[in-house]
Amino acid sequence: MHDKTLALTARALQAGEISSVELTNRCLERIRRFDESLNAFITVTGDRALEQAAAADRRIAAGDATALTGIPIAHKDIFCTAGIRTSCGSRMLDNFISPYDATVVERLSRAGAVMLGKTNMDEFAMGSSNETSFYGAVHNPWDRDKVPGGSSGGSAAAVAARLVPAATGTDTGGSIRQPAALAGVTGLKPTYGRVSRYGMVAFASSLDQAGTLTQTAEDAALLLEAMAGCDSRDSTSLDEPVPDYSRAIGEPLEGLTIGVPENFFDDGLDAGNAAALTEALGELERLGAKLKSIRLDNVHLSVPAYYVVAPAEASSNLSRFDGVRYGYRSPEAMAGDLNAFYRRNRGEGFGAEVKRRILIGAWVLSTGYYDAYYLQAQKVRQLISGDFARAFEDVDIVAGPTTPTPAFGIGQKTGDPVQMYLNDIYTIGANLAGLPAMSVPCGFSGALPVGLQLIGPHLSEARLLQTAHHFQRETDWHARVPPGYGENP
Ligand code: GLN
């Protein structure tokens, strides 16, 4: 049962073949057995999960269940959870217990989902490898010496190792899609504003978006239906109806035109990834889609533009963490003047990557450099949005790589931030333009999974999920389990 998709698990629950308490206990056993080798969880909430599971079982018995009632899930530790620590992967918030639930958490628990715990992540979601967490690196279940991708690496590893059927994540520059690709699971980043950001610790507010890590597109559809929708507590949340994604995924693919950016398939793309992607595009063609070669000419500028805009917003968002109202306070905090107080709290509370971003952000926003960097980056952002808008005049969706390479070694890129940032070359464009995008398992490079990225126009989640669903009906890449994680505890 542990390796079943969310959709199949839901059917088994409704049919009374298994109870939520049994299912939750099995997941908790798997976490106990396997998580020592993965470090995917920061906090496991076993007792609370079993209480929620018992309530879900009563709800199912009363005939009052939704598709998610009784399904165990995990939340990235960036989502506020009332009464349970929300660390955001940082020493700064190691002691932070939120008084309220994030909208995502609230909506999923209202639907009856059972929260198993909070997953490990890069500190404040800054990273591409899950190595910047205060709680240590997450290991990729396909090869534990490799990174699982970041920043939602704990969620991706937990789903890949079948510790939990589904998990939430957030994506500011690729943090759902990139770990989904490196860990061999399905990741969905919805349109900016589709899912409320309320209660999600802010990194770069004009880019942040919550989404899902699941085995399948069908599972992502079920979760998105419950998570999406307008929320008066987030002023950027879109006031648009939420479609019946689960129904839409079954519609035939005929008539779909897929744009393939030829400049995404250059020397920078690993040969094994390229081979798997070419195969996958062929499969989409066999399914009835028409492929069309396109160019996204400004996408190579997305990394430099993003690494100005995101740190600028982060430097502002993270100024609230000073150890006064909440957050880490140094034991030496009171030993000097006010400046020393801030310096100690922030100096000891934040890790190196977060400090680097705060410094870059403050610098690009400073009077002398604002025009040269921040303003310029905003103009590049417009160019990239324009590239996509033009492409979508001719094609329904864009397909290409999620990442340039499969998972790389733990420690391999930590000494060179630019090499680390270049992992995001294919994912950042969708964030800069606010577009929905997915990563779908599409093969292997050596023994490591490869992700196919699908990007669509604003609010085209149904189209993306439908394309991914058809692909997954014909392939079994998403169903492969990392060696050693298949057996039951
Ligand atoms: N890797 C990117 C960064 O480090 C994206 C992170 C994210 O999407 N949260 O900022």
Side-chain angles (χ1 to χ4, degrees), residues 179-201:
L182 301 194
V185 302
T186 301
L188 166 69
K189 175 204 104 69
T191 306
Y192 179 75
R194 177 74 290 191
V195 176
S196 169
R197 290 184 295 112
Y198 179 77
M200 204 171 104
V201 180

Side-chain angles (χ1 to χ4, degrees), residues 383-396:
L383 288 178
I384 290 167
S385 299
D387 274 6
F388 279 108
R390 265 188 305 284
F392 291 130
E393 285 171 12
D394 291 334
V395 301
D396 299 305

Side-chain angles (χ1 to χ4, degrees), residues 76 125-128 151 170-175 203 306-307 357 424:
K76 183 178 183 178
M126 298 174 191
S128 310
S151 64
T170 62
D171 193 312
T172 304
S175 279
F203 163 11
Y306 170 90
Y307 281 95
R357 307 276 180 117
D424 307 334

Side-chain angles (χ1 to χ4, degrees), residues 30-41 44 163:
R30 283 185 71 78
I31 294 171
R32 267 194 293 278
R33 165 141 178 217
F34 292 113
D35 199 41
E36 215 165 301
S37 68
L38 296 174
N39 199 24
F41 280 84
V44 178
L163 305 186

Side-chain angles (χ1 to χ4, degrees), residues 26-78:
R26 283 191 204 174
C27 288
L28 290 169
E29 269 164 49
R30 283 185 71 78
I31 294 171
R32 267 194 293 278
R33 165 141 178 217
F34 292 113
D35 199 41
E36 215 165 301
S37 68
L38 296 174
N39 199 24
F41 280 84
I42 291 175
T43 305
V44 178
T45 47
D47 292 342
R48 189 178 128 137
L50 287 167
E51 279 169 28
Q52 284 184 328
D57 284 332
R58 288 194 292 274
R59 203 167 149 182
I60 294 168
D64 169 36
T66 78
L68 298 180
T69 306
I71 300 281
I73 59 163
H75 286 298
K76 183 178 183 178
D77 207 15
I78 198 168

Side-chain angles (χ1 to χ4, degrees), residues 205-272:
S205 308
S206 76
L207 301 160
D208 296 342
Q209 179 57 200
T212 58
L213 292 117
T214 54
Q215 288 181 40
T216 64
E218 187 183 15
D219 292 358
L222 286 167
L223 284 173
L224 186 63
E225 269 157 25
M227 286 161 67
C230 189
D231 178 9
S232 58
R233 296 172 298 186
D234 170 6
S235 60
T236 60
S237 116
L238 294 171
D239 191 4
E240 295 285 341
V242 178
D244 185 344
Y245 297 113
S246 306
R247 170 151 351 128
I249 58 173
E251 284 162 23
L253 272 196
E254 270 83 45
L256 185 78
T257 307
I258 299 180
V260 183
E262 55 191 52
N263 52 322
F264 279 21
F265 289 80
D266 60 9
D267 294 350
L269 183 63
D270 166 270

